[in-house]
Amino acid sequence: MTSVSVIIPVYNGERTVRETIESILCQSLSDFELIAIDDGSTDRTVEIISQIKDPRLRVKSYPNAGLAASRNRGIREAKGEYISFIDADDLWTPDKLESQYQALREHPEAALAYSWTNCIDESGKFLRPGGHKTVNGNVYSHILVNNFIESGSNVLIRRNVLEEVGLFDESLRAAEDRDLWIRLAARYPFVAVPKAQILYRISPTSMSANIIRQAKESTGVIHRAYSQAPSSLQYLKKHSLANIYKYLTVKALEGEPDRRRAIFAVQLFYQAIVNDPSLLQHRVTVRALLKILAIAILPQSQARILLARYGKIDNIGALMMLIRTDPE
C-alpha cells in the first residue's frame, strides 16, 4: 500500500504547476503517489503536467466544480494511508512529507500533522514569515480562535479519520479547509512540525479575489463551529470573528492601492473592532486605520507615495500581529 497520497487541485495553473510538482517529486520521502486533479482547466495545465514523466504522477480531469470538490475527488482516487494536499501555486521544502509522516508515526493518537508556513511572491521570492505557531495535542480551542495552519497546502492527515469526520464541504468556496480542521480538532489531537516547510504564494490575482465571499463564508464557518462547540468555549467566539475580520482586512489591502478594496477594508476593520474593542488600545490600530482611509480617499498615485514613505500595511502584517493565537 502506498504510504502517502498527495493531491494537487489545479485550475488554469499553467504558470506555476510545474514548479509545484517538482517540489513534490524531490521530496526526501519517496513512497507516495501524486494525483493532479484538473478542475476543468482551459489553459495548458494538462499538457504541462503530461510532459512530466514520473510513475508516481497521474492526472485526472473533471468538469469545473471548485477547490473543495477537487480535493474530495482526489481523496476518492487516493490509495495512500495518509493524505496531503497542495495548491498548484504553492511549494514544499524537500523534507516536508518525511517530517510530517514521522511526526504522525511517533504520535499515533494524532490525526493531523502540520508545519510552519512562509509567504513567497509570484517569482518565488521570500515575502514574510507566516504565524509559525506551534500547538500540539488538543488544539480545538486554538483552531477556533485562529487558523494557525494557514493554508490547505500544509497538512498530512490519516485517511481513516477523513472517512470518519467527512470530507471537505463542497458548498463552501472559501474557508473549506478551516472547516475541516475544526471538525478534525473536535475529535483528535494534532501534532506540529516546528519548521517552515510550506511556501505559500501570494500574487496580485489571488490576493483580493472574491474577498466579499471569503468574508461571508469564513464567518459562516465560525458561526457553525460555535453552534456545535461546548458552552465553556462560547466566550471565544468574538475573538474568532475579530481575527477573521483582521485577516480579511489585510487581504483586502494586499497589492497596489485600490480605493474600492480599501472602502471594503474599512468595513471589515470596523467589524474587527466591534468584536474586539481592545484593538483601540493599540497604536498600530490607529496607524493602520489612517493608512486604510488614505487609500480610500486619496488618488492612487498619492496613496502609493504615502505607503512607500510610511510602509505598506501588509508588509509585515501589522494587523496580523494583533491576532490572538492563544485562547485565554
Side-chain angles (χ1 to χ4, degrees):
M1 182 178 184
T2 302
S3 294
V4 178
S5 295
V6 180
I7 297 164
I8 307 178
V10 54
Y11 173 72
N12 288 352
E14 63 180 5
R15 292 189 304 108
T16 58
V17 68
R18 179 184 293 275
E19 186 180 10
T20 296
I21 289 175
E22 288 173 351
S23 83
I24 300 166
L25 294 180
C26 72
Q27 289 293 301
S28 56
L29 175 72
S30 60
D31 182 19
F32 64 84
E33 62 173 352
L34 178 54
I35 309 168
I37 302 296
D38 168 44
D39 190 29
S41 296
T42 58
D43 64 359
R44 296 179 57 247
T45 291
V46 175
E47 176 186 346
I48 290 170
I49 296 174
S50 299
Q51 292 171 354
I52 302 172
K53 304 303 180 183
D54 190 294
R56 296 170 293 182
L57 170 63
R58 53 195 169 102
V59 58
K60 304 287 290 188
S61 293
Y62 296 89
N64 182 265
L67 183 58
S70 292
R71 287 174 177 160
N72 288 343
R73 286 164 170 169
I75 293 170
R76 296 183 185 105
E77 289 283 341
K79 301 174 183 177
E81 181 182 359
Y82 301 87
I83 307 287
S84 192
F85 311 94
I86 182 169
D87 292 345
D89 55 353
D90 296 336
L91 304 173
W92 288 344
T93 61
D95 59 343
K96 186 268 189 189
L97 277 184
E98 183 174 13
S99 297
Q100 293 183 346
Y101 177 77
Q102 188 61 34
L104 286 177
R105 299 278 288 183
E106 292 174 358
H107 296 273
E109 76 285 357
L112 178 153
Y114 77 96
S115 306
W116 292 347
T117 295
N118 284 338
C119 298
I120 58 175
D121 64 13
E122 284 188 293
S123 64
K125 181 180 178 181
F126 175 83
L127 280 177
R128 61 172 180 262
H132 289 192
K133 183 68 179 177
T134 301
V135 191
N136 289 296
N138 181 359
V139 305
Y140 184 46
S141 61
H142 295 268
I143 198 68
L144 284 172
V145 171
N146 179 42
N147 185 15
F148 56 84
I149 292 177
E150 300 191 77
S151 82
S153 295
N154 191 335
V155 301
L156 183 67
I157 306 175
R158 298 185 194 274
R159 182 194 184 107
N160 64 300
V161 302
L162 283 175
E163 295 169 351
E164 179 183 336
V165 305
L167 306 186
F168 291 96
D169 184 344
E170 296 183 17
S171 71
L172 296 172
R173 292 301 177 115
E176 69 286 331
D177 48 359
R178 187 175 183 181
D179 171 70
L180 180 55
W181 313 157
I182 289 171
R183 285 187 279 126
L184 285 166
R187 301 191 185 193
Y188 292 99
F190 288 11
V191 59
V193 176
K195 293 193 289 185
Q197 297 181 310
I198 289 77
L199 305 178
Y200 177 74
R201 196 184 304 268
I202 296 176
S203 65
T205 56
S206 65
M207 288 172 189
S208 59
N210 301 312
I211 193 74
I212 295 176
R213 184 173 67 195
Q214 289 182 46
K216 178 181 178 181
E217 300 206 343
S218 296
T219 54
V221 164
I222 291 300
H223 286 302
R224 181 166 66 180
Y226 277 97
S227 72
Q228 301 168 6
S231 57
S232 60
L233 296 180
Q234 293 299 319
Y235 76 100
L236 293 172
K237 184 176 181 179
K238 281 187 174 292
H239 299 299
S240 301
L241 290 170
N243 283 344
I244 287 176
Y245 285 119
K246 283 179 277 187
Y247 169 78
L248 291 170
T249 300
V250 173
K251 296 299 287 183
L253 294 166
E254 285 178 327
E256 288 297 308
D258 180 274
R259 180 173 296 175
R260 182 179 59 84
R261 286 190 283 111
I263 292 172
F264 188 51
V266 171
Q267 300 173 41
L268 293 167
F269 203 16
Y270 172 75
Q271 290 298 324
I273 294 171
V274 166
N275 283 282
D276 185 5
S278 69
L279 281 171
L280 294 173
Q281 300 173 12
H282 299 274
R283 284 184 294 178
V284 68
T285 302
V286 178
R287 293 199 302 268
L289 184 57
L290 289 174
K291 292 177 183 179
I292 296 170
L293 291 172
I295 297 172
I297 296 170
L298 295 176
Q300 188 179 54
S301 58
Q302 293 184 27
R304 189 181 293 113
I305 292 171
L306 178 70
L307 293 179
R309 179 176 298 177
Y310 295 106
K312 292 183 177 180
I313 297 171
D314 63 343
N315 212 18
I316 306 179
L319 293 178
M320 301 299 286
M321 294 175 66
L322 297 179
I323 288 182
R324 290 172 54 121
T325 55
D326 294 299
E328 294 179 349

